[in-house]
Amino acid sequence: MKKAITIFTMLVVVLCIQMFLGTDASALQTVSAGTSGDTMSDLIKLWNFTGFANVQFSNLGMIGVGLFFIFLAIKYDYEPLLLIPIGVGILLGNVPFIEGYKIGLYEEGSVLNYLYFGVTQGIYPPLIFLGIGAMTDFSSLISNPKLMLLGAAAQIGIFATFLGASALGFTPQEAGAIGIIGGADGPTAIFLSSKLAPQLMGAIAIAAYSYMALVPVIQPPIMRLIVPKRERTIKMRPLRAVSKLEKVLFPLIGMLLTTFIAPSALPLLGMLFFGNLLKESGVTERLADTARNSMINIVTILLGLTVGASTQANVFLTADSMKIFGLGALSFMVATAGGLLFARLMNVFLKKENKINPLIGAAGVSAVPDSARVVQIEGLKADPNNHLLMHAMAPNVSGVIGSAVAAGILLSFLLDKM
Amino acid sequence: MNFLFVDSETWTITLLGWVIVLLSLFFLVGIFLLIPKIINWGVKRSLRSKGKTQITDNHLSISGETNAAIATALFLYFNQIHDEESNVITIKQVHRRYSPWNSKLYGMTNINFRR
């Protein structure tokens, strides 16, 4: 408590100095008039360059958000690989400075601006997808392809949010970029917003990643609400063994089919299946290893840091951002509910021995692998002997494919209207 | 939020978009339900051409649980390998080699000795 009071007092003092002296430090100038002018004017210049002279409450608010993200990641282990780079990025992006010296992310020629180029031009998301492809095992999906439909059903969150954003007055392009938050897929959200609504990218990316980190909080109540206890205990048939030929054919056929349907999503889907082929072919282990470890780690650092830094208070704290956050939460809920309801609907048509546990429908929102992990935990709560993780991975990875296809479809519909 | 003011094109994109996603993944489901059948048909055909009428490798189609049990056993086996020690005692004799840097002789002073 003492520490908190001390920190608060220090902040108040710093703000009071700024309020009394102002950013041009006119009070100091008055004092210095007629005295040793040069030294004083240098000091004033120095003061004007410091963050203390330029700080605003909005900057402090955003720094608080950044610290909260870091706290969530370290204390509760919520997506630490994403929240720590994003949290630090928010801190970096909100340190006040005088514009015009190539410091900030939005200033042309600054280091952060160069790194941000990968985000604005949609370079990082396909590289992340390459890594995801190289680390994903699609065998659960190949052994039970019917579960792929759950990944498609959960994409209703994207289109419902698109509708909601349109109703709130966003342009169709902006609504499309906001809608993709419902796909619960950070790289896809960044990719689509960079193409359709670059001005909203910071808010969309932060909303997408924040809600992805909060999947363990958002999903369980909806799962318990929609799926009755009796159905939560359904034990699914064990998965069949998948041959190597099937594993090699999957990325090839998947790539060709999905990119023929939605060529706009070619960078995402192409890279995802290419990464998977590197893994499954068995002859490019070195490349697969690089893609799923070193490369994805580097890109995650750059992406997280620059997306975080893009939340400069003067650009980020707007009414639109607040609307986006509201719509994002709604889209996650709709997507989860869509997956769960579709799973229950599928059970109506399936034979008794092939029934699926409707809980796995919630994993259709992609958010790999967090939502599958949530399904496993909820399944164990209903029946401690029922392990759903491998079954949930099927809709989970098909959710990634589904959200990329949805992004491609939205791009096809909306890109020509720009 | 007023859905009455949403234009017809937005409604079209919403409904059509979701249906296309659903149909494209439905198409993928169909393909991937078909592939194992095609592979099995190919295997049977090649066996038939070799003169075999039925597949004798039934033991290869083992269930997921059996696979998991085998994998666990292998994991435990390989993890316990390090417990088998060589039984060689590894304490080695330490040789104190002479060096002028640690020589006792150089460290002695003769201050208190009368000459």
Side-chain angles (χ1 to χ4, degrees):
Chain A
M1 191 64 193
K2 274 182 187 173
K3 281 179 189 171
I5 292 169
T6 316
I7 292 167
F8 182 72
T9 316
M10 282 174 70
L11 284 173
V12 169
V13 169
V14 167
L15 281 170
C16 285
I17 292 172
Q18 191 218 334
M19 279 170 196
F20 285 126
L21 302 183
T23 47
D24 58 349
S26 55
L28 272 176
Q29 274 173 344
T30 322
V31 174
S32 67
T35 58
S36 53
D38 286 347
T39 316
M40 212 54 200
S41 65
D42 284 346
L43 276 173
I44 291 162
K45 204 185 281 176
L46 178 69
W47 167 255
N48 285 338
F49 264 95
T50 61
F52 298 111
N54 300 297
V55 74
Q56 288 176 349
F57 281 111
S58 50
N59 292 120
L60 294 178
M62 287 308 297
I63 288 172
V65 172
L67 291 173
F68 180 63
F69 275 21
I70 295 168
F71 167 76
L72 281 181
I74 296 170
K75 177 80 178 169
Y76 296 109
D77 209 26
Y78 285 169
E79 294 269 0
L81 298 180
L82 290 172
L83 286 193
I84 288 200
I86 291 177
V88 175
I90 295 175
L91 300 185
L92 289 180
N94 284 284
V95 171
F97 60 89
I98 293 179
E99 287 183 10
Y101 295 93
K102 294 182 182 178
I103 301 167
L105 183 101
Y106 294 108
E107 288 187 298
E108 212 164 296
S110 73
V111 175
L112 282 175
N113 186 261
Y114 276 112
L115 297 179
Y116 194 52
F117 181 79
V119 178
T120 52
Q121 298 303 312
I123 297 166
Y124 296 149
L127 293 177
I128 296 258
F129 262 60
L130 179 67
I132 292 173
M135 65 170 75
T136 305
D137 185 2
F138 283 102
S139 27
S140 56
L141 189 64
I142 301 167
S143 68
N144 195 356
K146 284 192 292 286
L147 300 181
M148 209 182 274
L149 292 176
L150 296 173
Q155 305 315 317
I156 194 168
I158 293 177
F159 295 98
T161 315
F162 170 70
L163 195 66
S166 300
L168 277 176
F170 286 98
T171 64
Q173 287 76 24
E174 288 173 343
I178 295 165
I180 205 72
I181 299 173
D185 199 341
T188 311
I190 291 170
F191 180 77
L192 194 71
S193 55
S194 71
K195 306 278 179 207
L196 292 178
Q199 72 279 12
L200 299 178
M201 188 160 46
I204 290 170
I206 293 289
Y209 279 119
S210 311
Y211 291 127
M212 274 166 66
L214 292 174
V215 157
V217 181
I218 297 171
Q219 286 197 321
I222 303 168
M223 291 157 93
R224 285 193 285 266
L225 188 74
I226 291 178
V227 184
K229 180 102 196 264
R230 185 174 41 81
E231 288 184 35
R232 272 182 260 157
T233 55
I234 292 176
K235 281 195 176 171
M236 291 175 68
R237 267 174 59 177
L239 302 167
R240 72 172 172 87
V242 176
S243 68
K244 192 189 166 185
L245 181 62
E246 282 176 277
K247 284 186 181 180
V248 173
L249 284 176
F250 180 80
L252 292 171
I253 296 171
M255 184 197 291
L256 290 173
L257 280 181
T258 52
T259 50
F260 265 77
I261 293 166
S264 314
L266 195 114
L268 294 176
L269 290 165
M271 285 298 204
L272 177 78
F273 289 118
F274 170 49
N276 191 245
L277 186 64
L278 289 180
K279 174 181 178 284
E280 300 300 352
S281 65
V283 288
T284 49
E285 192 44 41
R286 275 170 52 193
L287 302 185
D289 185 53
T290 306
R292 68 171 161 253
N293 293 311
S294 329
M295 201 202 64
I296 200 169
N297 289 344
I298 293 168
V299 181
T300 305
I301 290 169
L302 294 176
L303 185 76
L305 198 73
T306 47
V307 162
S310 70
T311 62
Q312 275 180 22
N314 54 346
V315 182
F316 185 75
L317 284 181
T318 57
D320 279 354
S321 300
M322 298 304 120
K323 283 182 198 168
I324 290 168
F325 269 82
L327 285 166
L330 196 72
S331 67
F332 259 64
M333 290 174 197
V334 173
T336 307
L340 292 168
L341 289 171
F342 199 84
R344 292 192 70 187
L345 182 73
M346 275 174 76
N347 268 348
V348 176
F349 301 101
L350 290 172
K351 286 178 196 165
K352 199 183 175 187
E353 66 272 14
N354 288 335
K355 292 249 190 256
I356 58 171
N357 190 317
L359 286 178
I360 65 168
V365 298
S366 53
V368 183
D370 259 20
S371 52
R373 220 179 285 149
V374 170
V375 170
Q376 162 80 354
I377 293 165
E378 285 302 308
L380 286 178
K381 276 183 194 166
D383 177 359
N385 293 319
N386 198 3
H387 294 274
L388 295 170
L389 187 66
M390 276 314 283
H391 300 289
M393 279 310 288
N396 211 191
V397 292
S398 77
V400 177
I401 300 170
S403 60
V405 172
I409 289 163
L410 282 172
L411 270 178
S412 315
F413 274 125
L414 302 169
L415 209 55
D416 64 328
K417 295 185 200 311
M418 289 179 82
Chain B
M1 196 181 284
N2 193 343
F3 289 100
L4 292 174
F5 292 112
V6 175
D7 58 2
S8 60
E9 204 177 348
T10 306
W11 281 102
T12 313
I13 294 173
T14 305
L15 297 174
L16 209 60
W18 188 57
V19 169
I20 293 172
V21 173
L22 209 60
L23 283 179
S24 52
L25 289 194
F26 203 78
F27 190 45
L28 268 181
V29 171
I31 297 281
F32 287 106
L33 283 174
L34 205 65
I35 283 175
K37 286 173 187 164
I38 295 170
I39 291 172
N40 279 341
W41 176 76
V43 170
K44 278 180 188 167
R45 194 163 161 264
S46 67
L47 284 174
R48 224 176 285 133
S49 66
K50 285 175 191 168
K52 292 179 185 174
T53 48
Q54 65 179 65
I55 302 166
T56 50
D57 288 344
N58 282 333
H59 66 279
L60 284 179
S61 56
I62 32 182
S63 73
E65 277 125 342
T66 319
N67 267 339
I70 294 168
T72 312
L74 283 172
F75 176 77
L76 289 174
Y77 173 72
F78 285 118
N79 263 4
Q80 283 164 359
I81 277 178
H82 74 280
D83 288 340
E84 288 173 21
E85 300 292 348
S86 60
N87 296 325
V88 177
I89 297 170
T90 52
I91 298 170
K92 287 178 184 169
Q93 193 182 352
V94 178
H95 295 283
R96 290 187 181 169
R97 293 179 184 281
Y98 170 77
S99 158
W101 294 100
N102 65 6
S103 168
K104 191 182 174 187
L105 190 63
Y106 286 106
M108 289 173 75
T109 50
N110 55 2
I111 294 166
N112 292 325
F113 295 99
R114 285 184 184 178
R115 288 179 187 172

